[in-house]
Amino acid sequence: MSYNDALNSLSSFLFCVRSFNSDPYLPSQEFIGKYIFLSSVLQNVKGNSVNVNWELNKGINCLNALFNFHISYLLNKSNILQNNLLMPLKSRVLNVVSRFDFNIWKVKINNIVSYRHNLMYMELINSKSSIENLMYKFLLSVPINRFEIILNGERYWNGIVNGRYKNTLLADIGVIYRAKRIEYSLSLTNIFNYNCYSYSFSKAR
């Protein structure tokens, strides 16, 4: 189902997919001490899923802007082999992404907010595990005569446990000079000097 209004720069669509599948490989996991061993075994497994997506796009003429909102939900039912026991497995994945881009006096600003939540549940042993991530990305471009200053970055709030989050800010800055036929650029990346960063953290209970 879709809706479009060209005069107001508005569009939206919604779709839902129901699917049934069969896979010759069965996922397997074994708990040995403090370690989890993941693998696949040659065994036919059947599953089914429901996928729902909705998207909205809106133009704003006075700001020379575009707003986009997208949400998707996936419910999947299958099986997993855990410690040599076949167990039903349910997984739910929620994705929400919002984007707002606009220009003011030749200054370009892009904003993206993304949220993801992945829940896996094994009913027979009442076990749940989840991954949660919230992200904000931004870009600022400021032209000054022949120069252009560009600042972009990413901010993450990743769930750890009991409402606690790991916060991280990544940022880059650059300057571009444009002559008639030559372009010069100077950039400083990874301003906060992060050596590595994990985008998500799994928790189980």
Short mmCIF file of all heavy atoms in Angstrom, two decimals, residues 108 138-143 147-153 171-176 178 183 185-188 191:
data_model
loop_
_atom_site.label_atom_id
_atom_site.label_comp_id
_atom_site.label_asym_id
_atom_site.label_seq_id
_atom_site.Cartn_x
_atom_site.Cartn_y
_atom_site.Cartn_z
N LYS A 108 24.93 23.13 4.70
CA LYS A 108 24.28 21.83 4.57
C LYS A 108 24.38 21.07 5.89
O LYS A 108 25.47 20.94 6.47
CB LYS A 108 24.96 21.02 3.47
CG LYS A 108 24.40 19.63 3.25
CD LYS A 108 25.17 18.91 2.15
CE LYS A 108 24.67 17.49 1.95
NZ LYS A 108 25.46 16.78 0.91
N PHE A 138 25.81 12.82 12.20
CA PHE A 138 25.58 14.19 11.74
C PHE A 138 26.68 14.61 10.77
O PHE A 138 27.80 14.09 10.79
CB PHE A 138 25.55 15.17 12.92
CG PHE A 138 26.85 15.27 13.66
CD1 PHE A 138 27.81 16.22 13.31
CD2 PHE A 138 27.13 14.42 14.72
CE1 PHE A 138 29.01 16.31 13.99
CE2 PHE A 138 28.33 14.49 15.40
CZ PHE A 138 29.28 15.44 15.04
N LEU A 139 26.32 15.54 9.90
CA LEU A 139 27.27 16.14 8.96
C LEU A 139 26.94 17.62 8.82
O LEU A 139 25.78 17.98 8.59
CB LEU A 139 27.23 15.44 7.60
CG LEU A 139 28.23 15.97 6.56
CD1 LEU A 139 28.76 14.83 5.70
CD2 LEU A 139 27.60 17.04 5.65
N LEU A 140 27.96 18.46 8.96
CA LEU A 140 27.81 19.90 8.81
C LEU A 140 28.81 20.39 7.78
O LEU A 140 30.01 20.16 7.90
CB LEU A 140 28.06 20.60 10.15
CG LEU A 140 28.09 22.14 10.13
CD1 LEU A 140 26.72 22.68 9.75
CD2 LEU A 140 28.55 22.68 11.46
N SER A 141 28.31 21.05 6.74
CA SER A 141 29.16 21.57 5.66
C SER A 141 28.92 23.08 5.53
O SER A 141 27.79 23.51 5.27
CB SER A 141 28.84 20.86 4.35
OG SER A 141 29.57 21.45 3.28
N VAL A 142 30.00 23.87 5.73
CA VAL A 142 29.89 25.32 5.71
C VAL A 142 30.81 25.89 4.63
O VAL A 142 32.04 25.83 4.77
CB VAL A 142 30.27 25.93 7.08
CG1 VAL A 142 30.09 27.45 7.05
CG2 VAL A 142 29.45 25.31 8.19
N PRO A 143 30.27 26.43 3.53
CA PRO A 143 31.11 27.05 2.49
C PRO A 143 31.44 28.50 2.84
O PRO A 143 30.56 29.27 3.27
CB PRO A 143 30.23 26.96 1.25
CG PRO A 143 28.82 26.99 1.78
CD PRO A 143 28.85 26.36 3.14
N PHE A 147 36.55 28.24 0.27
CA PHE A 147 36.77 27.21 1.28
C PHE A 147 35.46 26.51 1.63
O PHE A 147 34.37 27.06 1.49
CB PHE A 147 37.37 27.80 2.56
CG PHE A 147 38.78 28.28 2.42
CD1 PHE A 147 39.04 29.60 2.05
CD2 PHE A 147 39.83 27.42 2.66
CE1 PHE A 147 40.35 30.05 1.92
CE2 PHE A 147 41.15 27.86 2.53
CZ PHE A 147 41.40 29.18 2.16
N GLU A 148 35.59 25.28 2.10
CA GLU A 148 34.46 24.54 2.65
C GLU A 148 34.93 23.76 3.87
O GLU A 148 35.88 22.99 3.80
CB GLU A 148 33.87 23.56 1.63
CG GLU A 148 32.66 22.81 2.16
CD GLU A 148 32.08 21.84 1.14
OE1 GLU A 148 32.69 21.69 0.04
OE2 GLU A 148 31.06 21.21 1.44
N ILE A 149 34.27 23.99 5.00
CA ILE A 149 34.59 23.30 6.25
C ILE A 149 33.56 22.19 6.46
O ILE A 149 32.35 22.44 6.41
CB ILE A 149 34.58 24.27 7.43
CG1 ILE A 149 35.60 25.39 7.21
CG2 ILE A 149 34.89 23.53 8.74
CD1 ILE A 149 35.55 26.48 8.26
N ILE A 150 34.04 20.98 6.69
CA ILE A 150 33.15 19.82 6.84
C ILE A 150 33.42 19.15 8.19
O ILE A 150 34.56 18.79 8.49
CB ILE A 150 33.36 18.81 5.70
CG1 ILE A 150 33.08 19.46 4.34
CG2 ILE A 150 32.45 17.58 5.89
CD1 ILE A 150 33.40 18.57 3.17
N LEU A 151 32.38 19.01 8.96
CA LEU A 151 32.45 18.31 10.25
C LEU A 151 31.44 17.19 10.25
O LEU A 151 30.26 17.40 9.96
CB LEU A 151 32.16 19.27 11.41
CG LEU A 151 32.07 18.64 12.81
CD1 LEU A 151 33.42 18.09 13.24
CD2 LEU A 151 31.56 19.66 13.82
N ASN A 152 31.87 15.97 10.54
CA ASN A 152 30.92 14.86 10.65
C ASN A 152 31.31 13.98 11.82
O ASN A 152 32.48 13.94 12.24
CB ASN A 152 30.86 14.06 9.34
CG ASN A 152 32.18 13.44 8.98
OD1 ASN A 152 32.61 12.46 9.61
ND2 ASN A 152 32.86 13.98 7.97
N GLY A 153 30.32 13.29 12.34
CA GLY A 153 30.58 12.45 13.51
C GLY A 153 29.47 11.46 13.75
O GLY A 153 28.41 11.48 13.09
N ALA A 171 34.40 11.53 15.64
CA ALA A 171 34.26 12.76 14.86
C ALA A 171 35.46 12.96 13.93
O ALA A 171 36.59 12.56 14.24
CB ALA A 171 34.11 13.97 15.78
N ASP A 172 35.19 13.60 12.77
CA ASP A 172 36.21 13.99 11.80
C ASP A 172 35.95 15.43 11.40
O ASP A 172 34.81 15.91 11.44
CB ASP A 172 36.16 13.11 10.54
CG ASP A 172 36.25 11.63 10.84
OD1 ASP A 172 36.97 11.27 11.79
OD2 ASP A 172 35.60 10.84 10.13
N ILE A 173 37.03 16.13 10.98
CA ILE A 173 36.88 17.50 10.48
C ILE A 173 37.79 17.67 9.28
O ILE A 173 38.90 17.09 9.23
CB ILE A 173 37.19 18.54 11.59
CG1 ILE A 173 36.81 19.93 11.10
CG2 ILE A 173 38.64 18.47 12.03
CD1 ILE A 173 36.85 20.98 12.19
N GLY A 174 37.34 18.44 8.30
CA GLY A 174 38.14 18.65 7.10
C GLY A 174 37.91 20.02 6.51
O GLY A 174 36.89 20.66 6.74
N VAL A 175 38.90 20.50 5.74
CA VAL A 175 38.82 21.78 5.04
C VAL A 175 39.17 21.55 3.58
O VAL A 175 40.15 20.87 3.26
CB VAL A 175 39.78 22.82 5.66
CG1 VAL A 175 39.71 24.13 4.88
CG2 VAL A 175 39.47 23.06 7.12
N ILE A 176 38.36 22.12 2.68
CA ILE A 176 38.59 22.00 1.25
C ILE A 176 38.76 23.40 0.65
O ILE A 176 37.98 24.31 0.96
CB ILE A 176 37.42 21.28 0.55
CG1 ILE A 176 37.26 19.85 1.08
CG2 ILE A 176 37.62 21.24 -0.96
CD1 ILE A 176 36.05 19.13 0.53
N ARG A 178 39.07 25.26 -3.10
CA ARG A 178 38.86 25.03 -4.53
C ARG A 178 39.40 26.22 -5.33
O ARG A 178 38.88 27.33 -5.22
CB ARG A 178 37.39 24.80 -4.83
CG ARG A 178 36.83 23.54 -4.19
CD ARG A 178 35.36 23.34 -4.55
NE ARG A 178 34.85 22.08 -4.02
CZ ARG A 178 34.28 21.97 -2.82
NH1 ARG A 178 34.17 23.05 -2.04
NH2 ARG A 178 33.83 20.81 -2.40
N GLU A 183 41.87 21.38 -6.58
CA GLU A 183 41.19 21.32 -5.28
C GLU A 183 42.15 20.77 -4.24
O GLU A 183 42.75 19.71 -4.43
CB GLU A 183 39.93 20.45 -5.37
CG GLU A 183 39.16 20.32 -4.08
CD GLU A 183 37.90 19.50 -4.23
OE1 GLU A 183 36.95 19.98 -4.87
OE2 GLU A 183 37.88 18.36 -3.71
N SER A 185 42.68 19.64 -0.13
CA SER A 185 41.90 19.23 1.03
C SER A 185 42.83 18.85 2.18
O SER A 185 43.91 18.29 1.97
CB SER A 185 40.98 18.05 0.69
OG SER A 185 41.73 16.92 0.33
N LEU A 186 42.40 19.16 3.38
CA LEU A 186 43.12 18.81 4.60
C LEU A 186 42.10 18.27 5.59
O LEU A 186 41.06 18.89 5.82
CB LEU A 186 43.82 20.04 5.18
CG LEU A 186 44.53 19.85 6.53
CD1 LEU A 186 45.73 18.91 6.36
CD2 LEU A 186 44.99 21.20 7.09
N SER A 187 42.37 17.09 6.16
CA SER A 187 41.40 16.49 7.06
C SER A 187 42.08 15.92 8.29
O SER A 187 43.23 15.49 8.25
CB SER A 187 40.61 15.38 6.35
OG SER A 187 41.47 14.34 5.92
N LEU A 188 41.34 15.93 9.38
CA LEU A 188 41.76 15.33 10.64
C LEU A 188 40.70 14.31 11.02
O LEU A 188 39.55 14.67 11.29
CB LEU A 188 41.90 16.39 11.73
CG LEU A 188 42.28 15.89 13.13
CD1 LEU A 188 43.65 15.24 13.12
CD2 LEU A 188 42.24 17.05 14.13
N ILE A 191 39.17 12.28 15.74
CA ILE A 191 39.63 13.35 16.62
C ILE A 191 39.83 12.86 18.05
O ILE A 191 40.79 13.27 18.73
CB ILE A 191 38.63 14.52 16.59
CG1 ILE A 191 38.61 15.16 15.19
CG2 ILE A 191 38.99 15.57 17.63
CD1 ILE A 191 37.57 16.23 15.03
#
